[in-house]
Amino acid sequence: MAGRHTIILMQPSQNRATRTFMDFDSVNHALDGMCGLYERKIRNINPMVRNLTYDISDLYNFIDGLMDISALVFDDSLHAFLPYDRQWIKQKLFQHLKRLAEQ
């Protein structure tokens, strides 16, 4: 899954005008992008803090706080994007961060 084109669709608030998407070359890049999005948010809230730290529950709370989020991952064999939900994104984030921590 690491090398598959991935689109993250999200709506941060109830306002439909906040709908947006992020486009990535791979699932791993999309997961890094989600972490980066959260890190930018906490950096904006805490601009004077040099070293930000957070754990997986903080990231999960951020994702759960979004009105809507899903991922579309390209499947070469089908030549189509497959949809995945919030829980899948959270599961993949956990696996991704665990792999990074073990390196």
Side-chain angles (χ1 to χ4, degrees):
M1 268 200 177
R4 295 172 24 184
H5 185 192
T6 303
I7 301 169
I8 301 291
L9 305 171
M10 57 187 281
Q11 182 177 335
S13 73
Q14 286 187 317
N15 183 347
R16 294 179 82 184
T18 65
R19 287 181 177 171
T20 190
F21 71 95
M22 298 182 296
D23 196 351
F24 300 95
D25 292 335
S26 69
V27 172
N28 286 341
H29 287 143
L31 298 171
D32 288 337
M34 289 300 303
C35 291
L37 185 67
Y38 177 64
E39 289 167 9
R40 283 189 297 280
K41 179 183 175 178
I42 60 176
R43 189 163 306 283
N44 286 339
I45 294 169
N46 304 294
M48 302 305 287
V49 177
R50 284 195 177 271
N51 295 320
L52 297 173
T53 59
Y54 60 92
D55 63 28
I56 194 72
S57 65
D58 297 322
L59 192 54
Y60 285 174
N61 287 335
F62 168 70
I63 291 170
D64 288 337
L66 299 171
M67 184 68 185
D68 194 18
I69 186 167
S70 59
L72 299 173
V73 180
F74 192 74
D75 185 312
D76 287 327
S77 66
L78 297 174
H79 300 287
F81 283 91
L82 298 177
Y84 294 96
D85 64 5
R86 181 184 314 262
Q87 286 306 117
W88 182 87
I89 294 169
K90 288 165 59 174
Q91 176 187 27
K92 290 297 177 186
L93 273 168
F94 178 79
Q95 293 168 354
H96 180 66
L97 293 174
K98 183 177 177 185
R99 244 186 336 269
L100 290 176
E102 291 171 349
Q103 291 180 353

